[in-house]
Amino acid sequence: MTSRLRELIQQLGEAIHESVIESEQIAGVVQDIRKHGFDVLLMLEATIGLNEVTAKDADAEADPEFNPDGSPFTKNDVNFLRSLRISVEGEEPDDSEAQAG
């Protein structure tokens, strides 16, 4: 990982932090909780995953019809959705899902 990439990841973390701090909705809910006699300690964890994009992947992202199966999802999209236990129509379940069911 290059120092520039580390710097960009740091900037992303700071931007996420700032957006939470400046959120009027979050501030309002915290204030309501405090009105009920509780102090609030808010701790968030963000996981940032990076996948290097190849020229082929970039083409697929830009034009979903580029995917050989005609799916609007890239392989990374499908893997992410599966990690959330969301199935994608037309995708075959992997072996772990077939054994669990």
Side-chain angles (χ1 to χ4, degrees), residues 73-84:
F73 301 110
T74 66
K75 184 177 178 180
N76 287 338
D77 293 336
V78 172
N79 289 337
F80 173 72
L81 291 170
R82 282 186 181 161
S83 75
L84 299 175

Side-chain angles (χ1 to χ4, degrees), residues 6-52:
R6 283 190 187 107
E7 181 182 320
L8 290 170
I9 292 170
Q10 177 68 29
Q11 288 177 8
L12 178 58
E14 290 170 4
I16 292 168
H17 177 75
E18 288 296 319
S19 67
V20 170
I21 287 175
E22 295 175 2
S23 169
E24 291 180 21
Q25 184 178 8
I26 291 173
V29 173
V30 168
Q31 187 176 39
D32 289 344
I33 293 170
R34 288 183 176 147
K35 286 179 184 177
H36 282 87
F38 294 91
D39 196 10
V40 178
L41 172 62
L42 180 61
M43 295 175 56
L44 302 176
E45 179 180 334
T47 302
I48 300 170
L50 302 175
N51 290 316
E52 191 166 1

